[in-house]
Amino acid sequence: MKKIGIMTTGGDCSGLNSVIYNIMRGAKKRGWAVYGILDGTDGLIPEKPNIIRLDQDVLPQEYSFIAGSFLRNGNNSQNNNFEKAVQTNKVAQFTKQLKKSLAKINLDALILIGGNGSLSLAWQNRDMYSDMQLVCIPKTIDMDIPLTDITIGFDTAVSQLTRFCDDLLLTARSHHRWFVVQSMGRKCGMLALTAGVASGASAILIPEIKFDVDKLVKHIQSSDSDYGIIMVSEGISLRGHSGEPATMISRKLTAAGIANRTAFPEHIQRAGNTTPNDRILASQMAIAALDAIANNETYVMTALQNGEITTVGLDAVVNAGKPSRDPNISGLIISDAIVDDDNPLLIAADEMGIYIGETK
Ligand code: F6P
């Protein structure tokens, strides 16, 4: 009988509980025991690691489709964590402590459900996991993890953001005005682009594509509508201006006489009941992770590539994207997937008459 552990790290998203539940279910079929590490790597800091045995009494099926992580993701504000260890040059000591805790739990394998920061961190400190198999499952609303076509949580985030825009459109029409909606997504515009197309936005600004604010203004002024959605990804910038991107764009519209308001869906994008697509992906990725363990794979990530579920090496993942600095852990270089120029959604948006910036 194998003993496996699960932990959720980085920002949460809807779909995490579905992954945990499906791992538990698949492991039970294999006769394996499953333990949840509470609060991500924070749960490994105490002398007695913070873990719970997972079974259907602890995590019933009806909790599997609600957002958040049943295991929690860690407490950023506490004093003893990776961020602090990096700042104080104590990573070696810190990971030694975590490795000691993992040895106490004595796992055959650990499934880490994380974003690109967590994956880079795990690879950089891979010695911590050298006594077990490490299998990662990609999750993030940002869709910025390379080598997988989709990540857990993205579909639900698109659904949440689209619903938010649909609701705003009703009040926008009543008052003949525009809403500048700021999406999350960090340096990747995929969430803004997808929800923008889904909600029929009039303009979508993403970090990957340069835009001309005067052309945006003209595009709105020449629209045959006097209300609508302008989707702005949080990663865009406007030369010579500072502050929230939606606010900067809103000011420019106001200066041109265009009635508008800003709207910030914020963490609502990480909430909401898990969509059927995310639940299906969660079950596929959970089973792929268990198969990877059965096949003795380690330092791998489950991935969906051209409709096929597979695994890819963690080293490949952390080297495949565009390097950038992790916003939470100073000095950590992460690898971001970004929206490519030939992304079919960009082409569709352009064909729909949505202003997407200066692509030509
Ligand atoms: O990476 C997920 C994400 O939601 C980003 O889209 C966003 O920039 C960030 O996390 C918000 O982080 P926090 O929850 O720490 O405010």
Side-chain angles (χ1 to χ4, degrees), residues 37-90:
I37 298 171
L38 299 178
D39 274 315
T41 48
D42 289 2
L44 298 171
I45 297 167
E47 282 294 308
K48 189 172 175 302
N50 219 346
I51 59 169
I52 47 167
R53 174 88 193 248
L54 290 175
D55 61 39
Q56 266 156 36
D57 289 338
V58 178
L59 179 56
Q61 186 180 351
E62 60 275 22
Y63 293 174
S64 70
F65 48 75
I66 57 177
S69 170
F70 173 72
L71 297 174
R72 301 193 299 262
N73 289 49
N75 182 354
N76 285 348
S77 54
Q78 75 153 11
N79 262 335
N80 194 9
N81 58 19
F82 257 116
E83 198 178 350
K84 291 277 156 13
V86 173
Q87 280 164 7
T88 51
N89 264 330
K90 290 194 175 136

Side-chain angles (χ1 to χ4, degrees), residues 196-211:
V197 169
S199 58
S202 300
I204 304 172
L205 306 181
I206 61 173
E208 293 88 340
I209 299 181
K210 284 201 175 64
F211 62 91

Side-chain angles (χ1 to χ4, degrees), residues 10-13 76 115-116 139-144 183-188 191 234 266-267 269-270 327-328:
D12 69 351
C13 61
N76 285 348
N116 57 2
K139 64 86 215 169
T140 170
I141 67 164
D142 303 338
M143 265 283 280
D144 57 357
S183 81
M184 283 187 167
R186 290 202 164 128
K187 298 208 161 96
C188 178
L191 177 58
E234 67 175 357
E266 297 264 1
H267 293 77
Q269 293 158 97
R270 295 187 353 196
N328 298 320

